[in-house]
Amino acid sequence: MNPDLRTFLQAVRETGPENYVEVTKPLDPYLEVSIIQHKLAAEGRNPVIYCPEIKGSSLPLVTNMLGSFDLLAWGLGCDPRSMTRLEIYDVLRKKLAQRKDPVWVAEDEAPVKEKKFIGEAVDLSMLPIIHNSKLDAGKYIGAGFMIARWPDTGVPNAGIYRHLVMGRNRLGCMINPGNDGAYIARRCAELGRPMEIALVIGHHSAVLQASQAKGVVEFDLMGGYLGESLEVVKGETVDVPVPAQAEIVIEGTIDAATMATDGPYAEYLGYYGVGDKPCYVIDVTAITMRRDAIYHHLDSAHIEHNLAPNVSAEMSMYDRLRSQFPTLKAVSTMGWLGTYVSLQQRVPGEAKQAGLVAVSTDNYGKTVVVVDDDIDIFNEREVAWAISTRMVADQDLLIMPGVKGAHLDPVSYNEARTGRGPMTTHLVIDATRPVEKEFETRIEPDPELWQEMDLKDYLKP
C-alpha cells in the first residue's frame, strides 16, 4: 500500500512543533484558516497546520504541507536535520532516475472509493473549501492536482490549477496558457470532444511534488518519488485513472470550447490577480472519498504556493550552474521571483556569467544576485549586506529587457507601463568582491570561542 497523506502527517508530527501544529478550536472557512497560516509565517514559522474542525463541514483540513524546504525534504524521505541540501539533491536525482509505472488495484483496495456521491448527490459544499483572501471571487480549491489524458495518446497528465466554486456541482478551472492542462484543453476543443478530468485532493507530499513537473509522465514520476509504483483505480464516471490512496477525488467534464471567467484571486506575488480571467468550467459528475477523509488546502497568497516544486527546480538550477562553474557553493530559488547564487569567483566577470546562466535557466526569476562563498544565501540579511557592501552599481548591474515574464507579475502585464505585454526586464546583481584586487577583511567571531561558548551556560533561563 502506497504512503499517503496520513503517512506524511504522522512523520512530520513526530518531528515536533517546528514542523506540525494543530488548531484547538473551530475555524470559519472565510479567511480564518489563512490568517492562522500568515500569523505563523510572520513569526518565521511554516509548519503543517492541522485543523480538526471547519465550520459547515464534517471534514478536517490540513494546510501548509509544502510550506518550507524542510517539509519538502521530509516529503522526499529525507531528514533535513542531518542531511545537507546537496545530499537531499542526491536523493532526488536517484528518485528521478528510478521512475516506476503505476499499478492498477481493485476498487475494494482503494480507500478513495469508500464513499461515493454521483450525479444529483454531488454537492461541493460538503467539502471545507476555503475563502482565502478578502477580495477573492469566492472559495477556491488550491491544492488539488487535476488529471486529464492527452487526447492523441491517452497518456495521463497532472497539474495544479485553480478552481473557483461556481455552484453545487460546478467548478471554474483557470489554467495558464503555457501549462500542459491548457494544451490538452485546446486539443480537446479542436477535436470537438469533452475533456474528462479528475481533481485529486489529499495525498503524500511526494505525490504532490511530482505533480508539478512539466513535459513528463507524472504518474511514473510519482512512483519514483514514492519509491514504489503509484496505485491507481478507475474513475467512477470518467475514463481517468486516479490514485487509490487519495483522500478525495472530484470527477467531471470540461467543454473546452466554452469559456467563463473567474477572479479576482490572491496570488503568490502578493497581489490580487486581474478579475475576469478566462477559465474553463468543470461540470462535476462525482465525488469519491475516504470514509474519514482529510481535505488538503493550499493558500495561494502564501509562500507555500511558490515552494511546491522548489527542491526539483533548485536542484536543476544547481546542476546547470555547477556544470559550468565548478566553484559553485549553493543556489537558492526561495525568493518570490529571484535566485541567489554563491560561488568562489576565480576570474573577473565570472559572477556575471553565472548570473546570466541563471537567468537563462529560469525565465521567471526576475532578479539574480550572485555573491561570494562566504555569504549564506539562505539568510536574506546576509545577501542584502553583500549587495550594500560589495556591489558598485554602475559596474555590477546587468539589465536585460524584453524577456518572457511571469504570467501573474503585475508589472510584466501592465501594458500601459511596459508597452510589451507579458514581457519583463531581468536584473543580474554582481555582489562579489573583486578578484583582481585586495578587499577589506570581513569581521567574524573567533571560530574556536564560537564553538566553545554555549549561551545556556552564560544566561539565566
Side-chain angles (χ1 to χ4, degrees):
M1 185 173 71
N2 285 158
D4 56 16
L5 174 61
R6 293 137 198 267
T7 310
F8 175 74
L9 294 181
Q10 180 60 31
V12 294
R13 183 187 293 117
E14 291 174 356
T15 69
E18 68 275 14
N19 289 316
Y20 180 92
V21 298
E22 290 194 6
V23 174
T24 58
K25 58 174 64 177
L27 294 178
D28 195 304
Y30 180 73
L31 306 183
E32 288 191 354
V33 173
S34 62
I35 291 291
I36 295 289
Q37 190 166 350
H38 285 267
K39 273 186 168 287
L40 283 164
E43 296 177 356
R45 301 173 62 195
N46 281 294
V48 172
I49 305 167
Y50 183 80
C51 308
E53 188 174 350
I54 303 296
K55 296 175 184 177
S57 176
S58 62
L59 304 184
L61 174 148
V62 65
T63 188
N64 213 41
M65 274 177 49
L66 311 171
S68 70
F69 187 90
D70 283 2
L71 287 174
L72 294 171
W74 286 113
L76 296 173
C78 301
D79 186 341
R81 298 169 301 187
S82 60
M83 298 176 69
T84 67
R85 235 174 172 86
L86 297 186
E87 288 171 335
I88 293 169
Y89 293 166
D90 284 339
V91 170
L92 182 56
R93 290 188 191 98
K94 291 175 183 176
K95 289 179 178 292
L96 289 168
Q98 296 174 354
R99 301 182 185 185
K100 300 178 184 295
D101 292 334
V103 294
W104 292 90
V105 299
E107 185 171 312
D108 60 3
E109 298 176 41
V112 76
K113 296 287 191 176
E114 290 172 347
K115 294 176 72 174
K116 302 177 184 179
F117 304 89
I118 300 172
E120 290 301 313
V122 167
D123 187 351
L124 291 165
S125 68
M126 73 176 74
L127 305 177
I129 305 172
I130 300 302
H131 189 125
N132 287 323
S133 299
K134 201 167 186 178
L135 299 184
D136 279 354
K139 295 182 176 183
Y140 280 88
I141 296 173
F145 63 87
M146 192 179 81
I147 302 170
R149 292 185 185 272
W150 289 97
D152 297 307
T153 64
V155 174
N157 175 268
I160 295 182
Y161 312 114
R162 81 188 199 200
H163 304 279
L164 171 66
V165 177
M166 293 181 164
R168 176 183 62 83
N169 60 355
R170 299 187 86 209
L171 285 170
C173 180
M174 203 294 287
I175 312 174
N176 294 310
N179 286 346
D180 291 343
Y183 286 101
I184 294 173
R186 290 193 290 268
R187 183 57 177 153
C188 285
E190 290 172 358
L191 297 172
R193 67 173 69 163
M195 178 178 171
E196 295 188 334
I197 67 92
L199 184 58
V200 180
I201 302 174
H203 209 304
H204 195 279
S205 170
V207 173
L208 267 292
Q209 291 184 57
S211 75
Q212 298 298 284
K214 292 184 179 181
V216 300
V217 181
E218 284 91 353
F219 277 20
D220 296 352
L221 197 61
M222 291 172 186
Y225 274 44
L226 285 173
E228 59 184 68
S229 294
L230 181 73
E231 296 172 354
V232 296
V233 65
K234 292 181 179 179
E236 200 67 28
T237 59
V238 294
D239 183 22
V240 175
V242 300
Q245 302 297 329
E247 296 290 318
I248 302 164
V249 169
I250 299 173
E251 300 178 6
T253 59
I254 293 173
D255 177 359
T258 303
M259 302 296 289
T261 59
D262 87 339
Y265 182 60
E267 278 287 0
Y268 68 99
L269 293 175
Y271 298 94
Y272 286 94
V274 178
D276 297 329
K277 203 168 183 69
C279 74
Y280 301 102
V281 175
I282 301 171
D283 290 313
V284 180
T285 53
I287 300 175
T288 69
M289 65 176 73
R290 289 174 179 247
R291 190 173 294 108
D292 55 347
I294 302 169
Y295 180 83
H296 178 205
H297 169 63
L298 185 146
D299 181 351
S300 59
H302 191 269
I303 192 171
E304 178 188 15
H305 185 171
N306 220 34
L307 292 184
N310 186 261
V311 180
S312 177
E314 196 173 88
M315 181 198 72
S316 297
M317 176 79 76
Y318 178 89
D319 287 349
R320 172 88 183 270
L321 287 168
R322 180 77 177 181
S323 68
Q324 298 183 52
F325 306 98
T327 58
L328 179 75
K329 179 182 178 183
V331 171
S332 172
T333 57
M334 302 290 278
W336 288 108
L337 277 178
T339 298
Y340 300 154
V341 177
S342 66
L343 80 170
Q344 182 183 1
Q345 191 173 204
R346 299 166 297 176
V347 294
E350 189 172 37
K352 294 180 179 65
Q353 292 175 349
L356 291 171
V357 173
V359 166
S360 68
T361 303
D362 176 17
N363 282 333
Y364 292 111
K366 288 175 66 174
T367 303
V368 175
V369 182
V370 186
V371 297
D372 295 293
D373 59 352
D374 67 318
I375 299 297
D376 178 5
I377 59 174
F378 304 104
N379 181 337
E380 292 201 325
R381 183 175 178 179
E382 287 247 316
V383 176
W385 178 76
I387 293 172
S388 297
T389 62
R390 299 182 183 180
M391 178 189 71
V392 179
D394 64 342
Q395 298 179 28
D396 295 332
L397 297 183
L398 300 179
I399 299 173
M400 290 154 288
V403 186
K404 178 182 176 184
H407 60 272
L408 295 168
D409 178 4
V411 175
S412 299
Y413 263 74
N414 189 329
E415 183 70 27
R417 182 166 179 181
T418 67
R420 292 195 299 260
M423 308 293 280
T424 194
T425 297
H426 288 242
L427 181 68
V428 173
I429 298 174
D430 177 358
T432 59
R433 296 167 298 209
V435 176
E436 71 281 13
K437 300 177 182 177
E438 289 190 11
F439 198 79
E440 284 77 6
T441 301
R442 180 177 179 177
I443 301 168
E444 294 182 298
D446 181 85
E448 292 185 9
L449 280 176
W450 184 269
Q451 290 295 325
E452 290 175 7
M453 296 180 68
D454 190 329
L455 288 178
K456 294 197 300 293
D457 298 333
Y458 294 84
L459 302 178
K460 292 182 179 180

